[in-house]
Amino acid sequence: MRTGRPIPPLTLTEDERDTLERWARRPTTARALAERARLVLECAAGKTNTGVARELRLTKQTIGKWRTRFLGQRLNGLLDEPRPGAPRRITDDEVERVMRVTLETTPRDATHWSTRTLARRCGLSQTAVSRIWRAFSLRPHRVKTFKLSKDPLFIDKVRDIVGLYLNPPDKALVLCVDEKAQIQALDRTQPLLPMRPGQVERRTHDYTRHGTTSLFAALNVKTGKVIGEFHHRHRAAEFRRFLDTIEAAVPPSLDVHVILDNYGTHKTPLIHRWLVRHPRYHVHFPRRAPRGSTWSSAGSRRSPTSSCDAACIAARVSWRRPSAGTLRSRTNDRGHSCGPRRPMKSSRASPDFVIESLTRDTSRLRKNPTLDAGPR
């Protein structure tokens, strides 16, 4: 039989319940306020103070204190009251002045304000300016860059690529293909000394160059598996051989959606003839993305570049060192490795003209496959 003072019922409105759930969920909420919000929610579920105290590992006195505060003052009763101490000496007008000067002006002899120069300008201490900046999350010394696309169809292309991540098609495989060229094949002049207890791994400071290699990688966005392959050069012929590798690794019952960047080797007639002979492949790439951007910035935060790096490190041991004659011929090839390349005649055509012509060739080849004279 229960004895003692009866506990008044605690009921919540919809707005109060939503506010308490946000306080209890938000990671930025103070730990004490989140604990009080959970306490009130448990009490509103009809539990006793003893049951709530046992579940939250608190004392019954703590449960009774905040339950009474909430019944008397509602949500305001859960907030901390102002602490005793000296009155504030910096007024709201001074805080507003610091904010206005920081956001709307720049010093004469610098690119941005510092806490000391702004303190001399506003007649405050450097510590006061620093506290105001931290309170409003102002960091004038930091700068970030951004890039906007001028393509009128950029939104449609982003939706096309992001849709493959968020809602992939049925019975299909989405592969993100990227190349990592000019990987240096380095070797130490002496063997490595292995790690042992109390001694780290040791290696010589100098190394021997064995040329460069290129990594072709295809990332499966669902499983995270990478299909990788090394080639000595970075041309359309090597990319076509890599497509044959993908074709051999993917089950024939699945459609393949390939996301590519704007590299020129992906748009050559050789690649388009290969795509005509393999109709289950669907290529997605932005035609006129901002210079220096990639499909990974618009598609997902899971960039394949890091996966390419991991695959490169894992597969570098299987890289076949080229012969001395091969290295000598590549080094003496002035058009390949010495200085900038001479522009080709086809590079003068605009990207839209090239893509439209390739599209016409693709449709023509689909209607009459016997016109294909390329290598099979």
Side-chain angles (χ1 to χ4, degrees):
M1 182 175 180
R2 296 181 58 181
T3 59
R5 184 181 304 174
I7 301 176
L10 193 152
T11 57
L12 301 176
T13 62
E14 293 296 332
D15 295 339
E16 290 176 344
R17 185 176 295 276
D18 293 341
T19 303
L20 291 173
E21 289 178 352
R22 287 199 306 270
W23 287 355
R25 269 197 322 264
R26 287 175 54 190
T28 57
T29 304
R31 180 178 179 275
L33 183 59
E35 187 177 79
R36 297 165 195 169
R38 288 192 294 268
L39 182 153
V40 174
L41 289 173
E42 295 294 336
C43 292
K47 300 180 181 179
T48 61
N49 291 355
T50 304
V52 176
R54 186 184 304 109
E55 184 173 350
L56 299 182
R57 296 183 179 181
L58 300 173
T59 61
K60 291 190 296 183
Q61 291 78 9
T62 302
I63 304 298
K65 170 187 174 181
W66 292 110
R67 182 170 187 157
T68 305
R69 287 274 296 270
F70 183 82
L71 290 173
Q73 306 178 28
R74 308 308 292 180
L75 292 176
N76 293 332
L78 302 181
L79 303 176
D80 292 328
E81 297 180 352
R83 301 289 182 179
R88 193 179 67 171
R89 292 182 296 179
I90 301 177
T91 62
D92 294 340
D93 295 337
E94 292 176 330
V95 174
E96 181 183 359
R97 184 187 177 191
V98 171
M99 295 286 296
R100 179 176 54 81
V101 174
T102 304
L103 298 175
E104 300 178 3
T105 64
T106 55
R108 293 182 179 180
D109 55 348
T111 58
H112 57 269
W113 291 102
S114 66
T115 55
R116 291 172 176 81
T117 56
L118 188 59
R120 289 194 297 267
R121 168 71 180 274
C122 298
L124 299 174
S125 64
Q126 183 265 343
T127 307
V129 175
S130 180
R131 286 201 304 266
I132 294 174
W133 280 4
R134 285 197 300 269
F136 291 93
S137 298
L138 292 178
R139 289 171 287 184
H141 60 285
R142 300 194 62 180
V143 177
K144 290 185 178 180
T145 59
F146 68 94
K147 185 179 294 184
L148 298 177
S149 175
K150 298 181 181 179
D151 187 0
L153 301 178
F154 181 71
I155 297 178
D156 297 334
K157 297 171 185 176
V158 170
R159 289 176 178 174
D160 179 32
I161 295 177
V162 176
L164 295 175
Y165 288 86
L166 300 181
N167 188 18
D170 295 334
K171 297 182 180 180
L173 182 66
V174 180
L175 296 177
C176 303
V177 179
D178 199 3
E179 297 97 339
K180 192 174 183 64
Q182 299 298 322
I183 302 174
Q184 296 189 32
L186 304 179
D187 191 11
R188 297 292 165 177
T189 57
Q190 299 293 333
L192 297 178
L193 298 180
M195 177 181 58
R196 61 184 182 181
Q199 182 67 55
V200 299
E201 182 183 80
R202 290 167 292 174
R203 61 184 182 181
T204 59
H205 69 282
D206 53 349
Y207 51 85
T208 303
R209 295 180 182 270
H210 299 290
T212 59
T213 184
S214 299
L215 169 65
F216 291 74
L219 169 67
N220 188 339
V221 299
K222 184 177 181 180
T223 63
K225 182 180 178 181
V226 177
I227 303 174
E229 195 173 71
F230 280 94
H231 292 281
H232 292 307
R233 302 187 68 177
H234 191 201
R235 303 173 302 175
E238 284 77 15
F239 182 68
R240 181 187 177 277
R241 286 198 290 268
F242 181 61
L243 291 178
D244 293 335
T245 303
I246 296 177
E247 174 68 14
V250 176
S253 60
L254 297 178
D255 290 341
V256 183
H257 292 261
V258 181
I259 304 177
L260 298 170
D261 55 11
N262 287 324
Y263 195 62
T265 57
H266 304 158
K267 307 172 186 177
T268 60
L270 177 64
I271 302 302
H272 275 262
R273 288 195 296 267
W274 190 93
L275 294 174
V276 170
R277 294 194 300 269
H278 301 80
R280 67 169 180 155
Y281 280 78
H282 308 275
V283 181
H284 306 264
F285 61 91
R287 288 191 296 175
R288 290 186 297 175
R291 181 177 177 85
S293 64
T294 60
W295 57 264
S296 59
S297 60
S300 172
R301 293 183 178 272
R302 188 178 184 180
S303 174
T305 305
S306 58
S307 300
C308 289
D309 295 338
C312 171
I313 296 173
R316 185 174 294 179
V317 295
S318 62
W319 179 78
R320 185 173 58 185
R321 181 182 302 178
S323 61
T326 305
L327 292 177
R328 190 179 302 110
S329 62
R330 292 189 60 185
T331 305
N332 296 332
D333 186 5
R334 299 184 61 86
H336 176 70
S337 61
C338 299
R341 295 183 179 180
R342 184 174 299 175
M344 304 294 291
K345 292 183 179 180
S346 60
S347 63
R348 297 179 181 178
S350 63
D352 294 338
F353 175 77
V354 175
I355 292 173
E356 290 175 2
S357 62
L358 292 177
T359 304
R360 290 196 303 268
D361 296 341
T362 302
S363 60
R364 184 168 58 89
L365 289 173
R366 289 188 187 275
K367 293 180 182 178
N368 190 3
T370 59
L371 296 176
D372 182 18
R376 294 183 178 271

